[in-house]
């Protein structure tokens, strides 16, 4: 039993060390905080879509939760193409019966020169317009 406690203590210590190393590497690499566009009124009851973007070097990671509608992903990909963002992967998971959880990774092209917040705003508008159809 003592060996199990010692192993668990070592594992917890190792996790703490790894977490600290991750934070240090993120700071050194200049990883930005995610850009979140949502209503400030009540964060727990945010209206969909909820969009988060994280930038690292020339890559962007987008996490989108929106209402399940036909053509949502296609419209988002078209929007990203307008900003010269080359999509490297995209995944869609249904969350409940009415919500889609979309994750997109893209690489910024040479022509990319807009703030990430503008990309998030355009994606939000695309989701909202798709909901009205």
């Amino acid at each position: 039993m003592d060996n199990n406690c010692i192993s668990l203590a070592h594992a917890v210590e190792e996790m703490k060390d790894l977490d600290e190393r991750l934070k240090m590497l993120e700071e050194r690499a200049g990883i930005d905080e995610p850009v979140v566009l949502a209503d400030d009124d009540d964060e727990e009851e945010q209206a969909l879509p909820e969009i988060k973007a994280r930038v690292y070097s020339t890559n962007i990671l987008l996490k989108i939760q929106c209402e399940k509608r036909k053509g949502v992903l296609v419209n988002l990909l078209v929007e990203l193409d307008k900003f010269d963002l080359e999509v490297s992967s995209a995944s869609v998971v249904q969350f409940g019966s009415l919500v889609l959880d979309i994750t997109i990774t893209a690489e910024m092209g040479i022509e990319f020169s807009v703030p990430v917040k503008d990309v998030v705003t355009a994606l939000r508008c695309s989701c909202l317009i798709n909901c009205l159809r």
Side-chain angles (χ1 to χ4, degrees), residues 17-93:
D17 289 343
L18 289 172
D19 191 41
E20 289 176 22
R21 282 185 57 201
L22 177 63
K23 288 178 184 176
M24 181 187 69
L25 289 172
E26 285 178 340
E27 287 175 9
R28 189 182 305 163
I31 294 178
D32 296 332
E33 287 299 312
V35 175
V36 180
L37 189 63
D39 298 330
D40 293 334
D41 297 338
D42 189 22
E43 289 188 24
E44 289 187 22
E45 294 186 25
Q46 293 177 355
L48 293 178
E50 180 182 326
I51 302 174
K52 297 179 182 179
R54 177 167 277 183
V55 176
Y56 175 71
S57 184
T58 59
N59 297 304
I60 185 168
L61 172 67
L62 298 161
K63 304 281 279 172
I64 303 161
Q65 285 189 345
C66 62
E67 289 184 32
K68 181 181 174 185
R69 300 280 185 191
K70 188 175 182 179
V72 170
L73 182 62
V74 173
N75 290 338
L76 292 171
L77 296 176
V78 167
E79 251 346 278
L80 292 174
D81 190 49
K82 292 177 186 177
F83 286 104
D84 195 33
L85 289 166
E86 184 178 327
V87 175
S88 53
S89 77
S91 67
V92 180
V93 177

Side-chain angles (χ1 to χ4, degrees), residues 35-38 53 55 60 83 112 114-123:
V35 175
V36 180
L37 189 63
V55 176
I60 185 168
F83 286 104
F112 183 82
V114 298
V116 176
K117 193 166 189 167
D118 291 352
V119 174
V120 171
T121 302
L123 293 176

Side-chain angles (χ1 to χ4, degrees), residues 90-104:
S91 67
V92 180
V93 177
Q94 185 172 326
F95 182 71
S97 61
L98 300 174
V99 178
L100 295 178
D101 186 27
I102 303 170
T103 303
I104 300 172

